[in-house]
Amino acid sequence: MEKSWFRKLRCGAFIHWGLYAIPGGIWKGEHTQYLGEWLQAVKRIPNAEYSPLAAQFNPVEFDADKIIADFAKAGLKYIVFTAKHHDGFCLYDTKYSDYNSVKASPCHRDFMREFADACQRHGVKMGVYYSHCLDWHEKDGGDPRPCALNFGTTSWGNDWDFPEQSEKDFEAYFQGKVLPQIEELMTNYGPISVLWNDCPFPQITAERAQAILDLVHRLQPNCLVNGRVCGVKSMGDYGTLGDNELPAGVSAEDFPAEAIVTLNDTWGFKFDDQHWKTPRRIQEITLDVAQRGANLLINFGPDARGRIPRGSQVVLDSLAEWRPYVDEALQCDGRNPFPQELSWCRCIAKGTRLWLFPMSDAGDSAVLSGIEGDIDTCSVPYERLASGSLRLQGLAELATENRPVQITFKATPVYDQRLRLQNGFLVLAPRHAALFHGERQVSPGSEFIGPAGERLADTGHCFVTPAGGLRNWKNPTDVIQWECYLPAGTYQLRILTRQLYHNRPWNSQRIVRVVFNGSPRELTLRADELDEGNAYYRGAYTSFGEYRHPQDGTLTLQLSPVSDPDDQAELQLDTLEIREIEPRMNTNPHE
Ligand code: GLC
């Protein structure tokens, strides 16, 4: 299936909107700590009390045309709109439930239609979120008990109105509502780019997920279905990361990843959540995701009158100003061409073009190594060093504005695929490692094995997720091995690990064994320095101290966990960084 059109979109808008925008996180004077769209479940609000919100839903200020025009200016090229979220209320006209904005609300408006038409006018692609498992309005809606409670005590399924599990007939709901409604959404609104399913649970078996995929691909051959379609194995056309999770490495072309971020700490509108990310932070996330070859969906939660909250509008306006400077880099389906990430810039290449976005602390000059090719034009002053590396100048001003150095080569350059220092720094990712489960070498990049799609995690060994993080690395027979090229010198190493559940502190003391060209050391992971980049999935750096590399040449670096039965932490390994202590960038012939 052709997916380059999807990768070229790069940025889109998620729209979480529904009845929950009316209470906005407050029910009978009590505020929810959790996501706004989960209010009904968190407060266990009976349908008899929640459904009357439909009669109040009258978003007089909602203007799909203005919203989509603003998205288009901000470079958000597709939308994913909640046609039906877990509360079961539909924001479009449907034959399969009268609990919808046309029949049950005084506005009598079909918001799918309004968005679809506006998308057509502004060249934005229409996509739809549809809660295919959970539906709190229906007795037979998905109820994964006893497998899971959400947010500590909240039920995923509606067990407050419908406590009798044995009376629930999921198949009746799936055949009688889910498939017919997906058919409506795929038939009545013109071209649909994405069907976004969520919270699948085991009730969405491989057969049910396949039924959705077949239906969608029959009605809309170009529509992609996201990876949350199935609850038991990896299916769908592209991978959806965890909420507010950023990819840890470069995404696979045939199974592109999509990162989804909130602008504050909720998807659906909440009156009291003013914890907005800054426009700069959103720009950085956009570039981080893009250089890893993934898409980014930025969330908007309009209020009950249909207005985009002020904190989100500020981000939109700033993206619109920034966009002309970055459009080409973001729209070309490019990615970081080096095997490792660069510490001083974010980097996107496509064909003869290369864009480098200096980080705010990069300084005014930096060295780029490992490119062979004749430069045609370069937007900043540069010199070729004897080693062939490029020294670029005039970076500070670009860093302030978050704009790129633009280089055009006479022909597509060759990027050195060895792991080597860049500007005195080397970032090793799990995807570049050889993974060993005991004697057996496994290929990184696949979370699932075998015809039934068994999870590697269930084998008790580590694996690399489609987004590039190393998970489940507790087994002492697992070895993660990198080979890199280093000039003789002294280096500092540090390792970045991340807590897998959102909004929890980083909390592991895992002991790891690190072997440098055959000589072992043990290290206890500590939080020497917190990675503030992602508040949902907290990361922490642990330093290794120094390593002396005696002579120019290969370093084989192996990492394995040391067995500890008390180690319950769910930690992801993101990167291992090597920094030259005294950079000798001018003189070192290898640099
Ligand atoms: C989580 C939430 C859901 C939200 C989704 C967005 O799964 O439970 O409410 O729509 O994140 O990714």
Side-chain angles (χ1 to χ4, degrees), residues 30 33 50 57 68 77 126 158 199 207 216 273 292 306 326 348 356 391 394 414 528 552 572 588:
E30 279 180 36
Q33 300 298 306
Y50 187 86
F57 194 61
I68 299 295
K77 309 281 180 187
M126 178 75 194
N158 185 342
C199 298
E207 291 70 36
V216 170
D273 186 342
R292 294 168 194 169
V326 298
I348 296 175
L356 306 163
R391 173 184 286 289
V414 178
D528 293 345
D552 299 357
Q572 169 170 291
N588 188 339

Side-chain angles (χ1 to χ4, degrees), residues 14 56 73 81 93 95-96 119 129 138 172 185 193 311 343 375 414 435 456 465 482 495-496 532 555:
F14 217 167
Q56 293 174 41
K73 274 188 244 146
F81 169 55
D93 198 8
K95 283 199 239 140
Y96 300 93
C119 280
Y129 173 112
E138 304 286 348
L185 292 166
S193 58
S343 66
I375 293 185
V414 178
L435 292 189
L456 269 178
T465 69
W482 288 277
I495 183 167
L496 175 60
E532 302 296 352
L555 168 65

Side-chain angles (χ1 to χ4, degrees), residues 396-418:
E397 200 182 316
L398 293 172
T400 312
E401 303 287 326
N402 211 4
R403 292 185 190 162
V405 174
Q406 300 185 48
I407 305 179
T408 307
F409 292 87
K410 292 198 172 124
T412 303
V414 178
Y415 296 96
D416 192 344
Q417 292 306 307
R418 285 177 309 169

Side-chain angles (χ1 to χ4, degrees), residues 19 51-57 89-90 92-93 97-109:
L19 297 184
S51 330
L53 289 174
Q56 293 174 41
F57 194 61
F89 183 71
C90 300
Y92 74 101
D93 198 8
S97 164
D98 287 347
Y99 190 41
N100 72 61
S101 57
V102 178
K103 298 198 177 87
S105 296
C107 61
H108 306 299
R109 288 166 74 174

Side-chain angles (χ1 to χ4, degrees), residues 7 10 247 249-253 256-257 287-295 333-336:
R7 298 193 310 261
R10 255 328 162 242
V250 170
S251 144
E253 299 215 348
L287 295 173
D288 271 337
V289 171
Q291 74 164 345
R292 294 168 194 169
N295 281 16
D333 187 20
R335 56 189 59 209
N336 175 9

Side-chain angles (χ1 to χ4, degrees), residues 14 16 20 34-35 37-38 82 85-86 129 134 136 150 156 196-199 228 240-244 260 262 267-268 299 502:
F14 217 167
H16 274 78
Y20 40 81
Y34 198 52
L35 306 168
E37 71 281 7
W38 272 81
T82 51
H85 205 271
H86 307 330
Y129 173 112
L134 299 184
W136 302 323
N150 188 15
W156 293 91
W196 217 98
N197 291 142
D198 197 13
C199 298
R228 291 193 191 174
T240 302
L241 302 185
D243 300 347
N244 277 305
I260 48 174
T262 51
W267 304 93
N299 183 67
H502 56 68

